[in-house]
Amino acid sequence: MKQLGDILLEGGHVTREQLANAVEEQRRLGRSLGRVLVDLGMLSEGQLVAALATQIGLKFVDLSDYPVDGSAVAKVPDAVCRRHNALPIGYEDGKLVVAMADPANVFAVDDIRSMTGMEVKAVVATKADVLAAINRYQRSDTEMDELTSAIDVSHDEDDLSKVTEIIEDAPIVKFVNLLITQAIQDRASDIHIEPAEKDLRVRFRIDGVLHEVMRSPKTITSGVTSRLKIMADINIAERRIPQDGRLSVNANGKKIDLRVATLPTVWGEKIVMRILDNSTAMMKLSDLGFGDENYEVYSKSFVKPYGMILVTGPTGSGKSTTLYATLNIVSKPEVNVITVEDPVEYRIPGINQVQANPKAGLTFAAALRSILRSDPDIVLLGEIRDKETAHIAIEAALTGHLVLSTLHTNDAPSAIVRLTEMGIEPFLVGSALDCVLAQRLARKLCGKCKEAYQPTRESLVEMRFPWSPDEPPPTLYRPVGCSACSKTGYKGRIALHEVMAVSEEIEKLAVEHASALTISKVALEQGMITLRHDGLAKVKAGHTSMEEIFRVVV
């Protein structure tokens, strides 16, 4: 059997000098050579496992881009796969190929052999890859289908006394739990449960795009709706008006909050659940895809002790995430940070968060008026919706407070026009407003399967790509689709930004009631990068595709 060091040298993973240093460290620490190399950063976990597999004469597979056979996966239940950290991935010479983190586990091999009636050929994969593949391929769809047929639908839809006595192992409870678990595993941001005339449709929003995941019999609609209402502490007897609630679940040892909203439709109550991952609220600004120039302009605004920063864009464009990332920088023990939100989506330690409640008279304006009597240094306002809220926010920015808020406009220059149209005096807008950030979210190309190509000169001219005709066409990338990205070609999202600093010239234009187009021209002359150009720069860098940019930016 070859030594591990020889295998690593032949594969070009380490140099002789690195290997010698690692052997010396191994003797000193008394640990395995492979673990020392990983700890020293000379080797990745995957490279170590691949080398160990070669040493014992087994094949190593990278499950992130391996063409897994669904029929092989279906042969072994999810619970068995998780117990042994093994997953069937295909067939070879009449044998079942099983990816294992520990190929020496004879109990796992025996279990799978007796369960499937097939001989097992073990291949090696990292433990993290096997677990991720189990989460990806051992989907709950089949189990949900079985639960759907098992749900007792004999009770009358209006007999709520039975619904409130649901036990934890009832089929309807398992169905709802599996639905939420599957959505979290699929990286969904929203779950849409939509009753139709003849069935119940379930869709997940993944990377900003809705995907239909299943259709169930109409008869389970009442049970699913009632169960979710009970979990979210919503009145199950009220079906005529929209309601809101909140629930928490534990997924893979992590607490996940879900915001639940019901909406009466002609076929029943539609339920939308927004999945709130608190790690989103703790993101850094540097993780949001800011270009160097945009970040420099934006960072100058939030280090000032007063003024107003607005983040604009449509619903679901990541405005709140950007504001929270900004708060994470400016929030310090020596400053008082208060927020007013409707609803409070992410709970952040060290920050005073106020939930707006219009029914009780606690509107944005009323809350903001009270906040200013609580000696704040920084105020985050969920959204500027009316003249009164805008007026108080502007006054707060002018009286020594840093105010962060959102506004619904298509681009940054339009924010000034929108505030003046609300009835705010133009000279106040120009004086208080320090920076406007317009934002959109575009899907990122999957790093495993994106394909390089050379665009034609004609297409670059037609798309107004920032490129000189004297130069050869740049290399761009397009989506392909693989198992790692669920065949979509995209995985994750990246933000596009348009940052406009309010200079003296723009302040004068605001006082003169200038149009958004005029303000935009001056901002561009002063170096503002439009959403489109920021998007094309990210295309050039290989982060996303031309089609995706044109999907989200006009």
Side-chain angles (χ1 to χ4, degrees):
M1 183 186 291
K2 278 190 175 182
Q3 293 296 314
L4 179 63
D6 294 333
I7 293 170
L8 293 171
L9 283 171
E10 288 174 11
H13 299 302
V14 293
T15 63
R16 290 195 178 276
E17 186 181 351
Q18 288 174 326
L19 185 60
N21 292 336
V23 169
E24 190 65 35
E25 193 73 7
Q26 176 196 11
R27 288 175 184 151
R28 189 177 68 82
L29 298 174
R31 302 179 66 191
S32 69
L33 176 61
R35 187 48 52 194
V36 168
L37 285 164
V38 170
D39 291 345
L40 291 175
M42 299 177 186
L43 208 63
S44 70
E45 197 74 39
Q47 288 170 331
L48 173 61
V49 174
L52 291 172
T54 304
Q55 189 179 26
I56 59 175
L58 291 178
K59 181 183 176 184
F60 173 80
V61 294
D62 182 358
L63 290 177
S64 60
D65 59 2
Y66 188 88
V68 175
D69 189 325
S71 63
V73 174
K75 283 190 172 292
V76 180
D78 176 61
V80 176
C81 290
R82 292 184 188 280
R83 183 166 68 245
H84 296 307
N85 214 345
L87 180 73
I89 58 174
Y91 307 94
E92 191 175 309
D93 300 328
K95 295 180 180 179
L96 184 66
V97 180
V98 180
M100 304 178 68
D102 179 12
N105 186 347
V106 292
F107 298 107
V109 174
D110 286 345
D111 271 3
I112 295 171
R113 184 189 294 121
S114 61
M115 191 173 295
T116 61
M118 297 182 69
E119 284 298 315
V120 172
K121 178 179 180 180
V123 295
V124 186
T126 65
K127 187 175 181 180
D129 275 2
V130 173
L131 184 58
I134 291 172
N135 289 337
R136 190 160 64 245
Y137 296 109
Q138 282 283 15
R139 294 177 59 88
S140 311
D141 301 3
T142 306
E143 194 173 347
M144 282 196 281
D145 289 340
E146 292 170 0
L147 286 170
T148 300
S149 59
I151 292 171
D152 180 15
V153 294
S154 61
H155 65 268
D156 187 351
E157 197 172 284
D158 295 319
D159 186 3
L160 298 174
S161 61
K162 295 179 183 177
V163 177
T164 55
E165 296 173 3
I166 290 174
I167 54 176
E168 285 304 310
D169 60 350
I172 199 77
V173 176
K174 288 183 178 178
F175 178 87
V176 170
N177 291 346
L178 279 169
L179 193 65
I180 294 172
T181 303
Q182 192 62 63
I184 293 169
Q185 287 178 359
D186 287 355
R187 303 179 296 106
S189 60
D190 301 87
I191 306 170
H192 291 244
I193 300 172
E194 304 166 324
E197 183 180 5
K198 297 179 181 178
D199 55 19
L200 179 70
R201 179 171 69 166
V202 178
R203 293 191 290 173
F204 294 164
R205 188 178 292 280
I206 302 171
D207 292 335
V209 178
L210 280 170
H211 301 269
E212 184 174 313
V213 293
M214 68 180 298
R215 283 183 181 264
S216 299
K218 175 79 171 175
T219 47
I220 75 167
T221 302
S222 176
V224 171
T225 302
S226 298
R227 172 59 182 164
L228 285 169
K229 282 184 163 184
I230 290 168
M231 291 173 73
D233 198 21
I234 293 174
N235 182 2
I236 62 172
E238 181 57 74
R239 302 174 182 171
R240 300 164 299 172
I241 60 172
Q243 298 183 82
D244 296 303
R246 195 181 181 105
L247 62 93
S248 295
V249 296
N250 283 311
N252 299 322
K254 190 176 177 182
K255 184 184 175 186
I256 304 288
D257 293 329
L258 291 94
R259 193 181 78 210
V260 182
T262 70
L263 181 70
T265 70
V266 291
W267 301 118
E269 286 181 284
K270 172 184 167 80
I271 295 182
V272 177
M273 291 184 281
R274 168 66 61 88
I275 298 172
L276 307 170
D277 187 350
N278 279 318
S279 62
T280 302
M282 303 310 290
M283 288 183 74
K284 298 177 181 177
L285 271 179
S286 55
D287 297 333
L288 300 184
F290 273 93
D292 293 338
E293 293 176 40
N294 280 336
Y295 186 81
E296 185 181 347
V297 176
Y298 183 63
S299 59
K300 285 178 182 176
S301 62
F302 60 72
V303 296
K304 295 178 181 177
Y306 57 86
M308 178 184 276
I309 299 172
L310 288 178
V311 181
T312 76
T315 303
S317 59
K319 300 188 296 295
S320 296
T321 300
T322 299
L323 287 179
Y324 281 127
T326 307
L327 273 190
N328 289 332
I329 294 176
V330 299
S331 176
K332 298 172 185 174
E334 57 268 24
V335 296
N336 181 19
V337 181
I338 306 179
T339 76
V340 191
E341 304 165 70
D342 185 19
V344 175
E345 291 193 346
Y346 305 107
R347 279 92 191 260
I348 304 178
I351 292 176
N352 307 284
Q353 294 174 278
V354 178
Q355 169 75 55
N357 187 353
K359 290 181 181 177
L362 188 62
T363 60
F364 275 117
L368 187 54
R369 203 177 289 112
S370 301
I371 280 175
L372 295 178
R373 293 194 288 270
S374 300
D375 185 33
D377 296 294
I378 300 167
V379 177
L380 187 148
L381 192 58
E383 185 183 345
I384 293 178
R385 299 177 180 173
D386 52 58
K387 179 183 177 181
E388 187 181 10
T389 307
H391 189 70
I392 300 169
I394 291 281
E395 286 186 343
L398 290 171
T399 53
H401 303 88
L402 181 62
V403 179
L404 298 94
S405 189
T406 69
L407 196 66
H408 286 287
T409 62
N410 291 326
D411 56 17
S414 299
I416 293 175
V417 178
R418 178 64 54 85
L419 288 172
T420 54
E421 285 175 349
M422 281 183 176
I424 307 300
E425 291 293 339
F427 68 91
L428 291 177
V429 174
S431 301
L433 197 57
D434 194 69
C435 179
V436 185
L437 166 66
Q439 185 168 304
R440 297 289 187 280
L441 289 179
R443 291 180 294 171
K444 288 173 69 176
L445 285 167
C446 173
K448 294 285 183 182
C449 66
K450 65 180 182 182
E451 179 183 72
Y453 73 100
Q454 292 289 129
T456 63
R457 292 174 178 271
E458 294 75 18
S459 64
L460 291 173
V461 171
E462 185 181 345
M463 294 182 291
R464 289 179 284 152
F465 196 84
W467 152 81
S468 171
D470 300 331
E471 301 171 358
T475 299
L476 303 183
Y477 293 86
R478 56 189 167 203
V480 176
C482 66
S483 57
C485 59
S486 304
K487 306 296 181 184
T488 62
Y490 297 96
K491 191 172 183 181
R493 289 193 285 178
I494 191 169
L496 315 180
H497 301 104
E498 178 179 288
V499 186
M500 183 185 78
V502 179
S503 61
E504 286 186 21
E505 292 82 356
I506 291 174
E507 191 176 331
K508 288 176 184 175
L509 290 174
V511 174
E512 295 167 3
H513 291 273
S515 66
L517 185 61
T518 305
I519 295 171
S520 179
K521 285 179 180 176
V522 173
L524 287 170
E525 289 170 4
Q526 293 178 351
M528 181 183 80
I529 298 169
T530 64
L531 282 166
R532 181 191 179 95
H533 277 81
D534 190 48
L536 293 176
K538 289 177 168 69
V539 169
K540 204 170 183 178
H543 298 313
T544 188
S545 67
M546 295 294 295
E547 295 81 9
E548 184 64 11
I549 295 302
F550 294 135
R551 184 182 70 86
V552 298
V553 179
V554 178

